[in-house]
Amino acid sequence: MGIIYNKEHKTITLQTKHTSYQMKIGNLDYLIHLYYGPSICDADMSYQIMQYDRGFSGNPYESRDARTFSLDAQPQEFSTQQQGDFRTTSIEVVNSDGSYSYNGRTAGYKISSGKYQLDTLPCTFATDADTVDTLEVTLTDSVSDVQAVLLYSVFEEADIITRAVKVVNRGNAPIHLKKIMSVCLDFLNGSDFDLVSLPGRYGQERQVERQHMTHHIHTIGSVRGSSSHQQNPFVILCDRNATEDYGKCYGFSLMYSGNFLAEAELDQYDQLRLVMGIHPKQFVYELKPGEVFEGPETVMAFTEHGFTGLSHLYHDFYRNNLCRSKFVQEVQRPVLINSWEAAFMDFDDVKLVEIAKAARNMGVDLLVMDDGWFGKRDDDNSGLGDWYVNEDKIKCGLHKLVEQINDLGMKFGIWFEPEMVSEDSDLYRAHPDWAMQIPGRHAVRSRNQMVLDMSRKDVQDYLIKKVNGILDDADIFYVKWDINRSLTDIWSNNAAPEKQGEVYHRYILGLYHVMDEIIKTHPDILFEGCSGGGGRYDAAMLHYYPQYWVSDNNHPIDRLKLHYGTSFVYPVCTMGAHISDSGKFVPIKTKAVVAMCGTFGYELDATHLSEEEQAVCKEQSGQFRKFYPLIIKGDYYRLTNPFKPGNMTAWQHVSKDKSESLLSVVVTNLTCNGPQEYIRAKGLAPDALYSINGGEELYSGSALMNAGLPIDREVEDYSSFQFYLKKQE
Ligand code: DGJ
């Protein structure tokens, strides 16, 4: 059992293979956090908690003249509101009498086997191979009778603990929830921590940033209505000296695609608190008596093996326990060609068939018809919302077009941007009230499009019907689901004034519902998420889509950083990566090496390639197929940091049994007559012998890992190498 309750000490210990997490039903029934880190079995960690009279800190009323117990200095599982703890809160409530107060004390706990699920939000799940137990601790505010139900699931083998929270109004008056954080983790000594996050921008998503904790609240979050290009709902707290391979790292990955907030506060006593959940900006959720609010799940991991150790935990967990799509586990995903950078919106059925014919010679399996096939859509000023085929472009009709592609031995994919509407569209003319806009004000335009009010049931039903209709009309193998702007003008025509503070969140619930319905009806379709590139690349999206477009930036040298940052939490099998015309001076071989750090495909006009170039591409597609199991299922290692000055960027995929590996190197910056570079491999069997690219010479795993491989300097700029290492039996 991964969860142990110790009656004598009133401790509850969550135990994974290598980690322990402990809490205690403490003084006055407050739920005290005791420990998260390397395994301590069920040792009682209460001895760490020292209590002093901390001047100016509040003491609970029941403590009377005993001034040593203050929530302001206690590590807690769920920080309270207005109870003398001045640090960041887990919950903020406005009670029916207008008071701002929440005082949750432990009212009970329950341990069960299996993984909890949430009714309204996506969650990770247990497979038959997992041993998972769940702890449910109920905190109650005795005045309002509002409960916070804390949920923990312990994945023993995976070394993962998930957390979520439900707020239940058992009182007899409505309350308003203004803040609800899914996780609260306190560290008794936090001064030696760094905070790592993945900030970015359009075209440069998930760059890596690391900051030392100082005495204030460090916040990472998004208020763009989506998890965004600018930040990502994933943070790491790590030792100040943590590296790729060594050091303690705690990861927090929030399963939510809307506004989010992570706050890391180093307090006056050098204690550190991390909370993470839905961003409180414009969030006011009314909870009537009997109603329940569910906060999103946070996936937590801990390792002593640095960033690589942490990434491996997330990669394995997200490959096995996040997305139900059959494609996650399927041996081969198709090599695709996408029409976007080939033709933008200037195509017709004839052009698409021409691209497909050329792509077939390149070993491509799937043609994706991107933006421009529907309604009146010759540029991005019109047509969104009109999900019917534009027969001026697709003259033969969708069904026939797909047949022609299938006759070439290829599959067919299609693009949608369901959440948006153009002012110049039949949908907007029929339902202007379906677009988000605040009465009396003009809605902000972005890419000259408006946002559909996904919180409305009629909008959800329309989209499910329209998208399903197209998917049922032809043999569609793949869908790219895009969203190309941030949310503004948050106001729903369908909601009462006092409910407008719920719209941001209800938008996300509506979106999940629509995706769920479409995916459930089409379990055999391969879905890829996209948001103007990689703008909503988060764990919740990966619950629905097995792959996500990393960025609109296809420049292979920029991609090195994009793949590096993304890989901190999201597995390579989720990364949409293509070869395009971007990167004029970069050889096509290098573009292919970079795109093989992902799902691999093309984003160019194949009809412009010569026969020789098409043959090169065919070879690359073949290489990708050959290496696919290794790339998609193996362990991924970052061998160099592309954000640091250096001449080469290298990474490696190693099969789980260490019998084979693919080590890739891109030369980014060659200095004249510079030192010889060696790339040290990782993850090999030290005692085993490996051949390289089928050569006769054998190298020991320990030599390759300790001395490394010399990289030829006499090459052109942006050259690349792939070393396929095969263990000798
Ligand atoms: C943004 C995406 O990232 C692109 O790949 C493309 O699909 C365009 N949208 C289409 O409008």
Side-chain angles (χ1 to χ4, degrees):
M1 178 55 100
I3 303 175
I4 309 151
Y5 177 68
N6 183 316
K7 231 174 169 176
E8 188 190 343
H9 302 126
K10 290 174 113 177
T11 54
I12 307 174
T13 309
L14 317 183
Q15 193 68 46
T16 71
K17 201 169 169 189
H18 300 105
T19 72
S20 301
Y21 184 111
Q22 196 174 76
M23 66 192 82
K24 179 188 180 82
I25 304 171
N27 202 6
L28 304 172
D29 290 335
Y30 284 110
L31 191 62
I32 302 300
H33 174 76
L34 292 179
Y35 181 80
Y36 186 27
S39 187
I40 44 108
C41 300
D42 66 340
D44 176 13
M45 301 300 278
S46 328
Y47 71 90
Q48 304 171 98
I49 311 284
M50 308 295 281
Q51 285 171 9
Y52 305 101
D53 180 356
R54 301 285 199 183
F56 289 108
S57 284
N59 313 112
Y61 176 79
E62 295 97 316
S63 300
R64 301 282 170 156
D65 55 354
R67 300 182 186 178
T68 55
F69 181 76
S70 172
L71 291 178
D72 209 17
Q74 291 291 305
Q76 292 158 70
E77 283 298 314
F78 189 72
S79 51
T80 52
Q81 178 191 17
Q82 289 285 348
Q83 303 303 319
D85 182 352
F86 295 94
R87 296 169 292 170
T88 185
T89 46
S90 296
I91 186 167
E92 288 181 16
V93 161
V94 186
N95 295 302
S96 58
D97 58 4
S99 61
Y100 292 73
S101 184
Y102 186 81
N103 188 11
R105 314 261 187 121
T106 315
Y109 75 92
K110 205 164 81 192
I111 297 170
S112 53
S113 57
K115 168 74 179 33
Y116 65 80
Q117 289 295 307
L118 300 173
D119 291 335
T120 54
L121 289 163
C123 262
T124 55
F125 53 84
T127 68
D128 292 345
D130 297 312
T131 310
V132 184
D133 295 307
T134 290
L135 167 71
E136 195 178 305
V137 186
T138 302
L139 309 180
T140 300
D141 179 290
S142 61
V143 177
S144 63
D145 214 1
V146 171
Q147 291 184 336
V149 181
L150 312 186
L151 299 165
Y152 304 78
S153 278
V154 183
F155 288 76
E156 278 185 58
E157 283 297 312
D159 273 329
I160 293 284
I161 297 176
T162 66
R163 283 189 64 168
V165 59
K166 289 184 188 182
V167 181
V168 186
N169 184 357
R170 293 170 54 102
N172 46 26
I175 59 152
H176 288 90
L177 205 51
K178 296 195 71 181
K179 181 182 183 190
I180 179 71
M181 296 282 106
S182 299
V183 63
C184 169
L185 190 63
D186 280 351
F187 297 86
L188 288 170
N189 190 341
S191 56
D192 274 341
F193 274 105
D194 283 355
L195 177 69
V196 177
S197 60
L198 303 176
R201 56 187 183 275
Y202 172 75
Q204 302 285 358
E205 298 87 341
R206 292 170 301 287
Q207 313 285 296
V208 182
E209 214 163 78
R210 182 171 181 165
Q211 48 182 311
H212 295 320
M213 288 303 302
T214 51
H215 289 95
H216 69 273
I217 304 179
H218 301 244
T219 65
I220 308 286
S222 164
V223 292
R224 293 170 187 265
S226 87
S227 50
S228 84
H229 298 80
Q230 287 72 14
Q231 294 291 349
N232 195 267
F234 174 69
V235 294
I236 299 172
L237 285 172
C238 63
D239 276 349
R240 200 158 272 195
N241 54 7
T243 63
E244 272 292 354
D245 303 302
Y246 306 103
K248 293 187 173 143
C249 293
Y250 296 84
F252 305 86
S253 172
L254 185 74
M255 297 260 297
Y256 193 62
S257 312
N259 292 345
F260 77 93
L261 176 69
E263 294 178 296
E265 178 174 12
L266 186 63
D267 76 9
Q268 55 183 336
Y269 306 121
D270 287 352
Q271 301 182 131
L272 175 60
R273 171 170 293 168
L274 183 289
V275 299
M276 197 172 190
I278 296 176
H279 202 295
K281 181 180 156 138
Q282 218 170 301
F283 173 82
V284 186
Y285 203 98
E286 186 192 30
L287 221 51
K288 296 202 177 94
E291 286 184 345
V292 179
F293 180 86
E294 293 180 329
E297 171 167 292
T298 303
V299 177
M300 300 193 301
F302 168 79
T303 179
E304 293 186 277
H305 304 296
F307 302 125
T308 298
L310 194 72
S311 298
H312 286 179
L313 292 176
Y314 279 105
H315 291 183
D316 285 345
F317 190 62
Y318 283 167
R319 282 187 290 206
N320 297 326
N321 303 86
L322 180 59
C323 184
R324 291 181 201 269
S325 165
K326 65 176 195 181
F327 290 95
V328 179
Q329 304 296 347
E330 201 153 89
V331 184
Q332 190 79 57
R333 268 182 244 180
V335 173
L336 71 79
I337 188 157
N338 180 296
S339 66
W340 182 242
E341 288 185 31
F344 296 100
M345 295 183 201
D346 185 17
F347 61 80
D348 60 10
D349 48 354
V350 177
K351 173 78 186 168
L352 291 173
V353 174
E354 275 171 10
I355 293 178
K357 279 185 181 156
R360 186 182 50 172
N361 300 335
M362 295 155 59
V364 167
D365 306 303
L366 163 70
L367 174 91
V368 178
M369 176 172 72
D370 207 284
D371 194 353
W373 58 268
F374 52 89
K376 178 185 140 211
R377 185 77 170 164
D378 295 324
D379 58 36
D380 54 16
N381 291 307
S382 62
L384 287 172
D386 296 343
W387 299 113
Y388 54 83
V389 176
N390 177 338
E391 291 190 347
D392 289 338
K393 284 185 177 179
I394 311 300
K395 297 177 209 71
C396 62
L398 185 62
H399 196 83
K400 272 261 151 3
L401 172 63
V402 177
E403 263 178 17
Q404 290 182 67
I405 304 298
N406 289 166
D407 287 348
L408 294 171
M410 292 170 71
K411 299 176 180 1
F412 185 84
I414 196 167
W415 178 97
F416 287 99
E417 191 176 0
E419 298 156 70
M420 295 292 145
V421 62
S422 306
E423 204 166 358
D424 182 3
S425 69
D426 294 343
L427 182 67
Y428 184 79
R429 282 182 282 274
H431 297 284
D433 55 328
W434 283 11
M436 295 262 212
Q437 45 195 327
I438 298 173
R441 299 171 198 270
H442 290 301
V444 170
R445 297 293 191 275
S446 181
R447 212 193 191 199
N448 201 12
Q449 61 195 48
M450 299 169 82
V451 182
L452 279 178
D453 180 358
M454 297 294 290
S455 71
R456 291 178 67 126
K457 174 129 189 351
D458 44 9
V459 172
Q460 296 164 17
D461 291 345
Y462 170 83
L463 292 176
I464 293 167
K465 193 165 154 222
K466 283 289 167 187
V467 176
N468 273 345
I470 295 284
L471 300 184
D472 291 338
D473 187 38
D475 186 6
I476 290 172
F477 179 83
Y478 162 106
V479 167
K480 177 173 170 187
W481 184 301
D482 203 351
I483 163 176
N484 285 302
R485 63 161 290 178
S486 303
L487 274 52
T488 57
D489 305 278
I490 301 305
W491 192 85
S492 173
N493 234 304
N494 221 22
E498 65 277 13
K499 290 280 186 187
Q500 296 296 334
E502 300 176 13
V503 175
Y504 263 128
H505 180 59
R506 288 191 182 277
Y507 177 100
I508 296 296
L509 295 182
L511 168 65
Y512 290 155
H513 170 66
V514 171
M515 291 192 312
D516 215 34
E517 286 299 313
I518 293 170
I519 286 168
K520 266 197 313 222
T521 340
H522 298 96
D524 292 332
I525 290 183
L526 169 61
F527 284 83
E528 175 155 356
C530 175
S531 173
R536 200 167 57 181
Y537 200 135
D538 56 56
M541 283 292 143
L542 296 179
H543 176 78
Y544 299 98
Y545 317 131
Q547 59 193 57
Y548 208 97
W549 186 222
V550 169
S551 180
D552 271 357
N553 183 352
N554 280 316
H555 193 290
I557 305 305
D558 281 349
R559 277 272 174 162
L560 297 173
K561 290 182 179 161
L562 285 154
H563 294 173
Y564 172 88
T566 305
S567 77
F568 269 69
V569 52
Y570 307 115
V572 167
C573 67
T574 66
M575 295 188 202
H578 298 167
I579 297 164
S580 82
D581 288 333
S582 177
K584 218 159 102 196
F585 302 109
V586 181
I588 190 149
K589 179 191 164 211
T590 297
K591 293 182 180 184
V593 169
V594 175
M596 280 187 216
C597 185
T599 58
F600 195 80
Y602 295 89
E603 186 107 7
L604 40 73
D605 190 343
T607 63
H608 291 173
L609 298 183
S610 64
E611 275 180 25
E612 292 73 43
E613 286 169 322
Q614 288 180 3
V616 172
C617 295
K618 185 164 189 178
E619 206 184 309
Q620 292 166 353
S621 304
Q623 286 287 91
F624 174 68
R625 277 189 199 98
K626 179 174 145 205
F627 294 138
Y628 181 87
L630 192 49
I631 295 170
I632 301 289
K633 292 182 177 241
D635 288 331
Y636 173 77
Y637 290 88
R638 295 174 289 268
L639 300 183
T640 62
N641 179 348
F643 289 93
K644 287 204 171 142
N647 299 329
M648 312 204 166
T649 296
W651 64 96
Q652 192 188 355
H653 309 272
V654 183
S655 64
K656 290 276 178 195
D657 64 0
K658 299 180 187 300
S659 66
E660 50 176 353
S661 173
L662 180 67
L663 192 156
S664 305
V665 182
V666 173
V667 178
T668 47
N669 178 27
L670 266 186
T671 47
C672 169
N673 197 25
Q676 174 61 49
E677 305 263 355
Y678 298 85
I679 296 291
R680 285 202 286 270
K682 290 187 180 175
L684 303 176
D687 299 335
L689 293 174
Y690 291 86
S691 64
I692 300 182
N693 291 338
E696 294 208 334
E697 205 166 331
L698 298 179
Y699 306 80
S700 78
S702 55
L704 294 172
M705 291 193 289
N706 292 307
L709 268 169
I711 307 298
D712 187 356
R713 298 190 38 81
E714 300 198 331
V715 291
E716 293 299 314
D717 278 348
Y718 304 132
S719 291
S720 58
F721 303 89
Q722 272 182 328
F723 301 102
Y724 174 65
L725 314 180
K726 178 86 186 131
K727 187 172 137 195
Q728 298 306 293
E729 295 312 330

